[in-house]
Amino acid sequence: MTAQDEAEQAEQTQALPTNYSPLELEKETREFWIKNQIRQKLEDVEKTAKGNLGYVEGPPTLNGIPHIGHARGRIMKDIRYRWKTMEGYYMPFWAGWDCQGLPVELEVEKLLGVRNKRESIEKFGMVRFIEECKKAIMRYHQMWLQADGTLGIFINQEKAYWTYKDSYIEREWSYLKAAWDQGLLEEGHYVVAYCPGCQTSLSSAEVGYEGSYKEVEDPSFYFKFKVANSKNEFFLVWTTMPFTIITDTMLAVQPKAEYVKVKVDQETWIMVRERVEPVMAELAITKYEIIESILGEKLEGTAYEYPLKDIIPKQAELETKHPLVHKVIGEDFVDVNTATGVVHLSPGNGEDDFWAAQRRGVPIFAPFDDEVKFTKEAGAFNGVFARDADMLVVEELRNRNAFVKIGKTKHEYPTCWRSHHKLVWLARKEYFLRTDKINSKVLEAAEKIDYFYEEPKNRFLGFLKEGKPWCISRERIWGSPLPMWTCQQCGNQHLVSSKKELLEKAQEPLPEDFELHKPWVDRITLKCEKCGGSMRREDFVLDTWHNSGASPYARFTDEEYEKFVPTAFLTEGIDQTRGWANSLLLENIILTGKPAAPYKAFLFQGLTQDAKGRKMSKSLGNVVETNKLLEKTSADLCRFYMMRKCSPVDFMSFDTQELTRRSYQVLSTLYHLSRFFMQNASFDKFAPEKYSLQWALEANKLQPADLWLLSKLQERIQDYTHKLERCAFNAAVAVLDDFVIETLSRLYVPMIRKELWTDEPETFERRQTIYALLYHTLKTVTLLFNPVTPHLSEALYQKVYRQLESTLPETVNLATWPTPNGEIRNPTLEEQFDTLLRVVSISYAARQQGKLKRRWPLSKALVVGPQEILESVKCLEELFLELTNVKHVDYSVTPPDFVEAESWVSSQENDVTVFVSGQRDDKLLGEGIMRDLARRVQALRKDMGFVPTETLESVHIAELDAETMGLLEPYLEEMSGLVRARKVYLHSSRSEVEAEWHQSELDGKKICLNIH
Ligand SMILES: [Zn+2]
Ligand SMILES: [Zn+2]
C-alpha cells in the first residue's frame, strides 16, 4: 500500500465510524439536509413528476405537547411521502395547524386564572383573550417543529396552513355559503348536549368520543303523578334526573303493551305489567294486588295533575297553551323492560322527548340560562344550577304526596370529553347543518373510499349511518365566526361569504386592526336589504371540526384545489372517525353537491398506549413526549420500531425497553454490512461504473449464491412495495428485517467472506464481481429503508454510494425507487437454496448430537432423503461442503447399513436425515485448532481497532503444547491468509519473545496472543 492509498482509505473509513452511533449520525444528517436545502429542493419534483398525489395535512391541535402517539401517525405520513417521491410523484406534503377551539380557550382560562368564559371576558376583555390564545398556540408550535425536525418528518413547514388566519376562515365560509344556498344551514331549537363547565353545546360526534361515557352515580327516584279527577289513582314513574320534572310536560306509554292497576294500601298505581314484580321488590312492597289490566293505547289522553304548578306558575300557563300538556301520549320508544314503563317527558331536556313534543306541536319548556341555571320561568327554582335542583325537587314532591322512593344508581353517563362534566341535554337555539338530508350521498361517497382494513371501515360507516344533523354553533370566543347577520327589525338573514363582501356591506368602515374574529366581527352591522333596518351578527363561533374539516378548500387556492383534491391518501387516529374524517366528508359533499369525499383512501390508525397497555394520560404520568424521548433515543430506531411492532390499525403498547432489541439489531446490521462492503471495496479500488451488476450478468460472472441473492432481492422489492401500498407497514418492515438479518448477514456474507480475505491478483475479478453485487444489493436495500429510516439511509447513501459514484442524485430522496427485475428472478434456484439451507441446518443439529463444533472440519457427511432433495443439494454441492464444513458428501435415498468403524452422528427432520462422521484424524484436528485460533486472532484484531483490510506484520501464539504445535504446523500458511498477516509464529512459552501479550484460551487451556 502506498502512502497515498493509505490516506485515501483512512479518509473513507472515517466517513463511517467503527461504531454505529445513531444519535450523532442523525444530527449530522439533519445538518446536511438543512445546509443543502434538501426539503426545499423536493418541491421542484413537481416540474418533472409523473403525477400528483394530493395531500392535506390533518392538523394537530396546538394545545398539547407532541407525544409518541402523534409521532406514530406522523411517521406513517412521512413514509408515504418519501416513498412516493422516490417513485416519481409529487405530493404537497405541507404542514397545517388546528389553532382554534375550546381546548385552547380552556388552557388560556387556566393561564389567566379564571373559571369560565364570563369571568375571562369581564376581567380581561376579548381582545386580550384572543391575543393570549394566539400566544398559547405559538408556544406549542415550537415544540411540534422540534419534534418533526428530530423525528425526520419531511413535512414542509414553510407552507403550513393555520386555521385561524383570515384567508383560511373566509374560504371556510364558502362551505357555509354552499350549505345556505342549498337550504342545508338552519337555525332552530334543538336538544343538544351541553357542557356546563365549558359553557357550550357539543356536537353528537363529540358526545360519542372514546372515553366520554363514565360511570357516575345518580339518584334513582320513583315518584307518582295523580290521575286527574281520580280519588287515589297514580302513574308510577322513575327517573335518574329529578330536575327534569321541572320541565315535564307529558307522560308516555308503550301503546301495544299491557298496563295494570296495582292496589298498594289505599292507592292504585298504574304501570306496565311486566315490571310489577321487580319494581315492587325494589320498593320493598310485599302487599299488593293487580286489580285491572289495560292496553297502553287506552291510557292515551289521560290527564294527570302536575304537582308543582303552585311553585312553577309557567307550568299552569302551559296547560292553557296546548291540550296535550300534562296528558299521557303513546310512543314506541318507551321501553317496557326497564323501570315502570311509564316515562315522563321533558322536551326541554331530552332528545326523544323533544321530538315527541315537536311532532304534536306541544310547546318546548326550557327555562335555562347559559350556565344551565334555571331562569325566572322556573318559578321557585330560579337561579339554581340544573343538577343542583335534583334534591330540591325530590323534597317538593315529598311534600305533595308524589314521593315514592329515592335511592342511588350507578350507570354509564356521557361526560364532556374535555372537562368531564356530566352533560345536560337542553333545547337551545343553535345552527345546524342538515347533514341528515344528504345522508344517502354521504354513504355513497363513503363506500367508495379505500380504508385498507375492515374493522375501521365498518366503524366509520356505522357512525355515518346515524346521519344526525350537525350542530355547528358554539357559544365561545376563539373560533371562526358564524357569518350570519340577522335584521333586528324584520328578522331577515344574510350569510356573508367573504371578507370583501363584509367590507362592501358594512355600515361603517372596518378598523385598521380588523380581523375575522370576535369581538371585531361583532362590531360590524349591515343594512337590511328588505327593510333598511340594522343587521347584527348571530353570536356564535363555528365548531372547530368544521374549521379543520374545511381544510381541503381553505388551505389551497382554487387551482391547487382542482389539482390536489380528492387527495390520494390520508391517515389519522381511529378517534378521528367522528372527527376530521367525518367533517371532511360532510363538508366536501356540501361544497360540491356531489356524493364525493375529498380523499380516496383513509387509514385509521390505532392509538398508542404505554408499555403495560394502559392509555397514556397526564393523570397516570405515563405520556411519552416525543422531544424528551428523542434527546436520548435514535429517531430512526423509534420509527423502525413503531412500524415493526404491530399493524397500523392495532393499539400499540410503546415499550422503550424493546427499542434496543431486534430493531436496533436490524439497523446496526445494515450499518455494519455497509461498512464491511465499503472497507473491502475501497481496498480493491472498486469502481461501480466499471464493474457494474450489468457487467457481471453479461459476462456471466455470478455464482449460484450470487444469483440466489439477486433473485431473492427481486422478490423482496416486490413484496415490500406491495405491503407499503396496502399500509401493512409492520409486514413491510418485517421483509426488510428478514432480508438484512437472515439473507444478507447470516447467509450470503458468510458464503463469500473468505473470498474477500485474499488480495491475490488471480481472484481480483471475482472480488470485483462480489463488490458489484453487494453494491447493487446494499444500495437497493438502503433505498428501500429510506421511508422508514431516513437518517440512516441518507448517511449510507452519502458516505458509501455517493463516495463511489459521484454522479448519483444529491439526496437519497431523489433516488429512483427500486423496481423488481423479472429477468433475474429465479424461483427454481430459490427453491434449491431453501432445500440446501434446510439440509445444512439438519447437519448442524447432527453436529450438536456429537458435540462437534461447527468450525471443526469433518471428513464426511451422508444425506439421506427423497431424490429431488438430493438433486438440489448436488446442484449446490460446493456450497454445501463450505457451509457444513465437511470435506466430502455422499447421497442415498435409502437409510445406510453402516459397517465402517466411523463414529457417525445424525439428525432427522421429516423425510431428510443427515449423518456426519465424528472421526477426526490429525489433519482435521490441526485444521480445527487453526480455525479456533484464527477466530481469536480476528476478535483481537477487531478489539485493537485494526481495519479488516489491513495486513498484519506478524501473529505470535504462545503457551502451546508440543502436540498442538505439531498439529498446527501444516496450516500456518492458510492461517496467515485467513487472519491477513504476513506470518504466524508458534511458541511454547511467551518468554521466547519480548511482546505485549493478550490472554486467550483454547479448549479450556490458557494461551497468549500478540499481533502487530
Ligand atoms: Zn366541558
Ligand atoms: Zn329587515
Side-chain angles (χ1 to χ4, degrees), residues 709-769:
L709 178 72
L710 211 49
S711 179
K712 269 202 98 83
L713 178 65
Q714 307 315 308
E715 184 261 330
R716 289 311 165 102
I717 296 170
Q718 188 170 2
D719 193 23
Y720 177 64
T721 309
H722 175 73
K723 285 178 165 124
L724 283 185
E725 198 71 69
R726 294 314 304 155
C727 291
F729 299 119
N730 56 324
V733 169
V735 170
L736 297 184
D737 176 327
D738 182 69
F739 189 73
V740 167
I741 301 272
E742 297 302 325
T743 310
L744 268 172
S745 175
R746 294 226 170 108
L747 298 173
Y748 181 72
V749 169
M751 292 179 203
I752 52 93
R753 195 192 308 254
K754 266 197 277 174
E755 296 186 86
L756 299 182
W757 277 349
T758 67
D759 48 6
E760 309 284 319
E762 54 272 30
T763 59
F764 177 78
E765 210 171 57
R766 172 60 190 152
R767 295 199 303 274
Q768 296 298 330
T769 306

Side-chain angles (χ1 to χ4, degrees), residues 487 489-492 528 530-533:
C487 176
Q489 282 181 43
C490 72
N492 174 36
C528 175
K530 287 209 176 135
C531 75

Side-chain angles (χ1 to χ4, degrees), residues 637 640-641 644 658-659 661-668:
L637 192 54
F640 189 90
Y641 165 73
R644 179 80 177 85
E658 288 174 349
L659 280 168
R661 294 178 200 156
R662 181 72 179 193
S663 297
Y664 182 83
Q665 195 195 346
V666 176
L667 304 195
S668 165

Side-chain angles (χ1 to χ4, degrees), residues 97-115:
W97 306 108
D98 195 7
C99 310
Q100 306 182 129
L102 196 54
V104 182
E105 286 193 46
L106 292 179
E107 164 141 354
V108 169
E109 282 178 7
K110 216 195 270 173
L111 209 79
L112 294 175
V114 294
R115 279 171 308 174

Side-chain angles (χ1 to χ4, degrees), residues 189-191 346-348 350-359 362 364 427:
H189 281 82
Y190 285 94
V191 172
S346 298
E351 213 175 342
D352 290 336
D353 319 36
F354 175 86
W355 288 110
Q358 199 71 347
R359 279 194 294 275
V362 172
I364 310 296

Side-chain angles (χ1 to χ4, degrees), residues 768-791:
Q768 296 298 330
T769 306
I770 293 173
Y771 299 144
L773 183 66
L774 281 177
Y775 179 86
H776 172 81
T777 307
L778 285 168
K779 182 171 150 230
T780 301
V781 170
T782 300
L783 300 188
L784 296 177
F785 264 82
N786 183 47
V788 188
T789 59
H791 303 90

